[in-house]
Amino acid sequence: MTNLPTRRDEAWRYADLDALARLWPLPAAEQIVVAEGDTLSRVLVQDTGGVQQINLILERGAQALFYVLNCGGDYGRVDLSVTLKQGAHFSLQAAQIGGDSQTLEIVTTVTHAEPDATSRQIVRSVLAGQATGTYLGKVAVAKGAQHTDSEQSVKAMLLDRSATANAKPELEIYADDVTCAHGCAIGELDAMAMFYLQCRGLTPADAKTLLLQAFIAEVFEGAEDGDRLQALALIKLGDLV
Amino acid sequence: MLSITNLHATVADKPILKGLSLSINAGEIHAIMGPNGAGKSTLGYTLAGRPGYEVTDGCVTFLGQDLLSLAPHERAAAGLFLGFQYPVEIPGVSNVQFLRESLNAQRKLRGHDPLSGADFLKLARAQADAMGMDMDMLKRPVNVGFSGGEKKRNEMVQMGIIDPKLAILDETDSGLDIDALRVVGDGINRIMRKPDKAVLLITHYQRLLDYVQPDFVHVLAGGRIVRSGGPELALELEREGYKDLAA
């Protein structure tokens, strides 16, 4: 893409276009190929703002495990375009944590090009103030990519009524023997749980932090430096409550 | 210890408590009984400070403090414990982490040092053992996948760890089989029957009172205490029902 996108471009519909204009032109997307049978584990911490684009190709039986914490800058976008060959596996476990007027986006296109590949995406967003958090996730299953197994689980927690969450899991399927699941929920902290925790002595801020920590906990499960990510996320959550 | 004077409270603008007065001294166990909709649970929630439970008149003094001016966590730190009728499930938060943070938050407000991890686990293990709950359950997320009886046991384990001055137990007996009822009853006696503590038992039935003998029994109807007496009042209610009192 050479021209600055507009709101008409579906993939940029919720973007912070002013911030994008300042970043334009974007650096070229990073190209990653995971060779047949190999495993790649990658941690992305986006804490300064900016647009990060990655094109990822998984050869037969390859695996890629991505752990993403998208939390910094006025505008932070992580854009992953993934192509899965036969029997490959891609997993994305991502948290977006934003406040003030931050715009945070995770955009994925996962193409199951060949049979027997699996993909798992878990995205949890915690949004306060005027922040906007967006997940656009397209799963495309090519003709002949039988036994594709894909899941998208997208949840957002709004701490203030002025925050916005956009979630668009999308399926495009040209094969007839596939399992593709997606779930999406946007909500607020459970008032009864908040009261219960406070009845046992937790301050409102500590009760909130504990519930939010639990909300994003599964995102960093299995990450090599999961504890560091969890700690970073906790600092950011602490700023919001 | 607790003095409630002319308490009026509304929920969603609907008056529920209409001039309730009650006094509880240290060393006493009080039971509140009454028909459905009388305001029993509302009393518990109002005393604990649940949002949406609006006090419109009256005052409540707890250990010399104006209870109603305190936030829920401050009421807890002051020594008030509400045992929930329906303990809340909190996925992703382990019992142990939740209780340790809660206890230490209370200690902090009281100006005490936090309990170390080891000391806390020792305390938690002792309380869980006493309630016949194994430590694995204590490490699981708060109340998630617990049966009704396990949730109530868990409330008692929490009460044992937190060691409050006043426990308000909202239908802690509901959903319990006979054995669990005895375990929970024994727990209440063991933790709370002490000269410097008090209990307010909210219940529908006499059966919990077979295990936890109350000093006073009150009937709550129409948002007020309409009758008070000794343990014999509970037996009379069991025999004759509330119909003559609810008017």
Side-chain angles (χ1 to χ4, degrees):
Chain A
M1 193 182 286
T2 50
N3 294 323
L4 193 66
T6 69
R7 294 253 173 262
R8 284 163 201 256
D9 296 301
E10 191 57 32
W12 299 91
R13 193 167 148 192
Y14 305 105
D16 180 343
L17 294 178
D18 293 337
L20 186 63
R22 290 193 291 275
L23 298 166
W24 204 261
L26 299 175
E30 184 184 347
Q31 306 289 330
I32 302 175
V33 178
V34 184
E36 184 170 337
D38 278 2
T39 296
L40 168 77
S41 179
R42 176 90 180 256
V43 173
L44 294 176
V45 176
Q46 192 298 107
D47 57 358
T48 54
V51 175
Q52 197 160 2
Q53 292 177 296
I54 296 177
N55 286 333
L56 178 65
I57 295 172
L58 300 184
E59 299 292 353
R60 289 166 62 106
Q63 282 200 61
L65 314 171
F66 273 67
Y67 302 93
V68 174
L69 175 60
N70 187 19
C71 64
D74 293 341
Y75 179 50
R77 176 176 170 117
V78 176
D79 188 334
L80 302 174
S81 184
V82 185
T83 303
L84 301 172
K85 303 283 182 68
Q86 185 162 9
H89 174 71
F90 169 69
S91 103
L92 169 69
Q93 296 178 205
Q96 312 198 87
I97 304 173
D100 299 327
S101 55
Q102 281 183 286
T103 298
L104 301 172
E105 300 188 293
I106 290 175
V107 181
T108 63
T109 303
V110 177
T111 304
H112 288 250
E114 294 181 7
D116 303 318
T118 53
S119 63
R120 296 284 178 273
Q121 299 182 62
I122 297 175
V123 178
R124 300 288 178 263
S125 302
V126 177
L127 302 160
Q130 317 278 325
T132 298
T134 297
Y135 168 77
L136 305 176
K138 180 171 174 181
V139 172
V141 180
K143 197 174 170 201
Q146 304 296 10
H147 309 129
T148 284
D149 183 348
S150 105
E151 280 178 21
Q152 291 164 283
S153 165
V154 186
K155 290 183 188 166
M157 192 73 86
L158 301 179
L159 300 186
D160 296 304
R161 293 282 164 103
S162 47
T164 304
N166 303 301
K168 199 177 113 185
E170 189 184 358
L171 293 169
E172 187 181 281
I173 303 174
Y174 293 103
D176 57 9
D177 184 10
V178 303
T179 308
C180 292
H182 59 72
C184 174
I186 296 172
E188 297 175 296
L189 284 174
D190 181 53
M192 202 59 191
M194 279 292 291
F195 176 60
Y196 189 64
L197 295 175
Q198 291 172 73
C199 273
R200 298 294 175 258
L202 290 178
T203 62
D206 287 346
K208 254 188 203 176
T209 307
L210 192 61
L211 291 178
L212 293 174
Q213 198 185 342
F215 176 68
I216 61 163
E218 63 185 312
V219 164
F220 304 123
E221 268 171 27
E224 219 167 81
D225 48 0
D227 288 347
R228 180 181 71 96
L229 287 171
Q230 190 82 254
L232 278 174
L234 211 54
I235 293 170
K236 182 72 186 176
L237 288 176
D239 293 343
L240 296 189
V241 300
Chain B
M1 175 176 285
L2 181 76
S3 169
I4 306 172
T5 312
N6 190 34
L7 185 64
H8 288 71
T10 61
V11 181
D13 291 331
K14 190 177 169 212
I16 309 286
L17 300 181
K18 303 168 187 170
L20 186 145
S21 295
L22 178 66
S23 211
I24 299 178
N25 296 310
E28 293 176 353
I29 293 183
H30 290 241
I32 285 203
M33 307 180 75
N36 291 321
K40 299 191 300 295
S41 290
T42 298
L43 175 62
Y45 285 140
T46 303
L47 293 175
R50 181 173 170 187
Y53 287 64
E54 214 61 50
V55 174
T56 52
D57 200 3
C59 62
V60 181
T61 312
F62 176 55
L63 292 169
Q65 280 182 285
D66 173 11
L67 186 73
L68 301 177
S69 69
L70 303 176
H73 70 282
E74 295 167 332
R75 299 182 194 200
L80 186 138
F81 179 92
L82 175 67
F84 279 58
Q85 182 180 1
Y86 304 106
V88 183
E89 296 188 10
I90 308 180
V93 176
S94 86
N95 258 312
V96 171
Q97 185 194 6
F98 154 54
L99 285 170
R100 187 175 165 208
E101 284 193 22
S102 300
L103 181 63
N104 282 336
Q106 290 198 21
R107 291 176 66 95
K108 191 175 167 191
L109 266 187
R110 290 192 215 112
H112 297 154
D113 288 334
L115 219 53
S116 74
D119 286 345
F120 174 78
L121 278 179
K122 210 168 124 188
L123 172 65
R125 186 167 284 123
Q127 291 300 330
D129 279 352
M131 292 307 299
M133 216 166 102
D134 62 42
M135 272 311 272
D136 284 347
M137 272 186 81
L138 220 52
K139 285 174 186 160
R140 278 171 30 195
V142 180
N143 292 320
V144 176
F146 287 23
S147 70
E150 286 169 340
K151 285 179 182 171
K152 296 301 174 72
R153 272 180 209 232
N154 193 20
E155 291 289 283
M156 294 301 101
V157 173
Q158 294 180 16
M159 186 169 81
I161 290 171
I162 288 170
D163 198 23
K165 290 283 187 226
L166 172 69
I168 300 166
L169 303 177
D170 188 4
E171 295 199 24
T172 294
D173 51 343
S174 68
L176 294 183
D177 61 32
I178 299 294
D179 294 334
L181 188 66
R182 180 178 297 118
V183 172
V184 165
D186 290 347
I188 297 170
N189 288 326
R190 174 178 53 81
I191 300 163
M192 297 303 298
R193 195 180 277 285
K194 295 182 179 165
D196 61 337
K197 296 187 170 205
V199 178
L200 181 59
L201 286 174
I202 296 171
T203 182
H204 268 297
Y205 304 107
Q206 160 65 29
R207 47 179 211 162
L208 178 64
L209 306 182
D210 291 339
Y211 298 101
V212 185
Q213 297 272 322
D215 303 298
F216 300 94
V217 173
H218 310 276
V219 180
L220 179 57
R224 294 185 306 131
I225 305 277
V226 294
R227 212 175 141 192
S228 296
E232 72 288 344
L233 178 56
L235 296 167
E236 184 192 322
L237 292 169
E238 188 83 352
R239 224 170 34 239
E240 298 177 11
Y242 297 114
K243 57 183 187 303
D244 294 337
L245 295 159

